[in-house]
Amino acid sequence: MSNTIYDIARQAGVSIATVSRVFNESPNVSSKTRKKVQNVAKEMGYQPQGMAQGLARRKKNVIMAVVPLLSNYFFLQVLNGIQDAISETNFELHIYNVKSSEKPVDQLKRLLGRRWADGYLFVSIHLSDSEWKMISQFDQQMVLIDDAYSACNYFQVNNKQGARKATRYFLEHGFKRIALITAKEESIPAAKRRQGYIQTLTDWGLTPDESLIVSGDTQYRDGFNEENGYEAMQKLLEQTPNPEAVVCMSDIQAIGAISAMKEQNLSLPIIGYDDIQLAKYIGLSTMRQPMYKMGKEGTNVLLDQIGKDQPKVVQKEYIPDLILRSTSSQQN
Amino acid sequence: MSNTIYDIARQAGVSIATVSRVFNESPNVSSKTRKKVQNVAKEMGYQPQGMAQGLARRKKNVIMAVVPLLSNYFFLQVLNGIQDAISETNFELHIYNVKSSEKPVDQLKRLLGRRWADGYLFVSIHLSDSEWKMISQFDQQMVLIDDAYSACNYFQVNNKQGARKATRYFLEHGFKRIALITAKEESIPAAKRRQGYIQTLTDWGLTPDESLIVSGDTQYRDGFNEENGYEAMQKLLEQTPNPEAVVCMSDIQAIGAISAMKEQNLSLPIIGYDDIQLAKYIGLSTMRQPMYKMGKEGTNVLLDQIGKDQPKVVQKEYIPDLILRSTSSQQN
DNA sequence: TTGAAAGCGCTAACAT
DNA sequence: ATGTTAGCGCTTTCAA
């Protein structure tokens, strides 16, 4: 069960070139030999070894999705889109995740050098422009999802606008003391959403109150986790007066926050972020990000560009939609 | 930025063997040449190509997790454990997912033949004994997580016992008309849990009522999805009298089910299954599966066995724990 | 339609 | 300590 092209060739009484030809669907094989080879191969459970093929062809037929941490609902949706796009092709999808213990850019450099794949999807990998520049120098095909760099393909959603929309909604409904449950300070999307929130308040003639911008202390997944939301809400509820409404940076934090409110028999209006699948079922109002769509479109672009030498770069920015359900109103 | 070991050798004025040596941390290199090579390599952004290494070494330093569909909270936790185990080694983790469009066993045969990895983790891949036998014939190192086969390493949790515990809890608290929200008929874990449920009722002297065993019509992820739970609960609530309590096959279905109850201002006692992270925050009572643990232990076993020729097989079965929170009591 | 043979980019004896 | 060379299992000319 551990045979090579030589074993098949010998067994079928042909040369290895012929075996190779039938596996590569070359037309230049008589249907008789083809049949024979196929039978032998099937019988012996033979498949060409991927690595040998990759080396010989200088093409691997794999695309690699690089993600920071798999344990995140956001990625799940993106990956769904990626998978659906890939499954229509004969490419394989391999997923690689960067560890938090080492600088992402260093990990990427090492990874790209190894040439595992024909193309790379970087999902929610946030690098500086100079870092992305380094990465582009490997000249591998790639597309960024949920980040942007001027010289690359990217699919991104406007974080500032997302936070603005949520904040504006509450302002328009008469709320003034609007809290923001944020994530890890260093998170780039978090920083942008925070800006959007602050600008919106300012535009409205209000002075942003730093004490209403909080995050929990639990920091894994950059703070985008249930416990973080729970802790953040506890901090908010210690303040008097309480905030009148709260904007979150993820649905998952909103769930934690709601749990903290329930413990105190409160239910302030709250808006999450992402629109993960279960948001609908708990009535969570939220900023919807087109996660599936980004994954699918990004993958299609990548697939399309593989093989071409000077593909034109495609860049797209989405604006998140405000999905109103029950948690955003006063009497939820 | 696309150079080979020859480029580095030439540039550093050494042979390719020496370059290979420094990258393989051979002691037989003078520290002077080592430095020189390292500098040149760094400057030229060189990394050995994974595929060429894999071919030459007959060892790839990658382990592959094979999963049926990534969009499932259960896997997320298992994958977390896998990742944590892997990150302590110099192995790479690649994730592969089998499509629903083709028989799993055929996909596995193709995959294993290609020899992408040194070892395989099959997560929630349910095959018959004869199918697993075929797969074992590839004699690759592997461990099954969430399935069992007598000749393989496996880490499994007892589905029957899980359902028994949940059902028994309700029986002991005086409930009789206990409903079961199940998943796709063909799902093996679902079938086992169903058996556990039925046996428990029978043991208690009750006659199981088929009309209380329902599933929604939305079948993706084998029915383990929110919508399915929602639909199932709607069906249950059409019956008179309503059931007195309900056991679910996943937390995610329970969330859908609760949503359906809320719409009718009902809140029957309900128990989920899995104990996904957010269960705690919505107060969901559930059967806890040691997902992280299975992932981590399974990976460690695999890692440990790679390279050995006759490793002893390790098999482990867990019993899920009943985690009581608020949804399992009458006045939730 | 088929086969022989030269790579693909590495590793690992075997020499020196 | 370093270099030479024969593979690893394929693909792909080039000849026949």
Side-chain angles (χ1 to χ4, degrees), chain A residues 1-3 45-55 57 60 62 64 69-73 76-77 79-80 83 86-89 91-97 99 109-111 113-117 134 137-139 220-221 225-228 230 252 255-256 258-259 262 276-278 280-282, chain B residues 1-3 45-55 57 60 62 64 69-73 76-77 79-80 83 86-89 91-97 99 109-111 113-117 134 137-139 220-221 225-228 230 252 255-256 258-259 262 276-278 280-282:
Chain A
M1 218 57 174
S2 172
N3 21 36
Y46 171 77
Q47 287 292 330
Q49 287 194 29
M51 305 232 163
Q53 278 189 322
L55 191 57
R57 284 190 183 142
K60 300 104 166 85
V62 354
M64 195 156 208
L69 249 191
L70 220 34
S71 50
N72 185 309
Y73 304 99
L76 280 191
Q77 308 284 7
L79 282 171
N80 258 302
Q83 288 169 351
I86 294 243
S87 71
E88 295 163 7
T89 73
F91 275 74
E92 292 182 12
L93 172 64
H94 291 188
I95 297 160
Y96 183 90
N97 57 326
K99 308 169 191 173
K109 277 156 71 177
R110 198 149 11 91
L111 181 66
R114 310 215 75 207
R115 313 256 136 97
W116 282 120
M134 292 221 57
Q137 286 175 353
F138 281 87
D139 48 41
Y220 73 89
R221 279 190 236 154
N225 64 71
E226 298 90 341
E227 186 67 14
N228 185 291
Y230 178 84
I252 221 69
I255 288 170
I258 290 170
S259 162
K262 269 210 190 112
I276 64 178
Q277 274 186 12
L278 59 80
K280 173 179 162 194
Y281 297 90
I282 57 175
Chain B
M1 218 55 176
S2 172
N3 21 35
Y46 172 76
Q47 287 293 330
Q49 286 194 32
M51 305 235 162
Q53 277 190 323
L55 191 57
R57 284 189 184 141
K60 302 107 166 80
V62 354
M64 196 155 206
L69 250 192
L70 220 35
S71 50
N72 184 310
Y73 304 100
L76 279 191
Q77 308 284 8
L79 282 171
N80 259 302
Q83 289 168 350
I86 293 242
S87 70
E88 294 163 7
T89 73
F91 275 75
E92 291 181 14
L93 171 66
H94 291 189
I95 297 160
Y96 184 87
N97 57 329
K99 309 169 190 172
K109 277 156 72 178
R110 198 149 9 94
L111 182 65
R114 308 215 76 206
R115 313 255 135 96
W116 283 120
M134 291 221 58
Q137 286 176 351
F138 282 89
D139 47 40
Y220 73 90
R221 281 189 233 151
N225 65 69
E226 297 90 342
E227 187 67 14
N228 185 291
Y230 177 84
I252 220 70
I255 288 171
I258 290 171
S259 161
K262 270 211 189 109
I276 63 177
Q277 273 186 11
L278 60 79
K280 174 180 163 193
Y281 297 90
I282 57 174

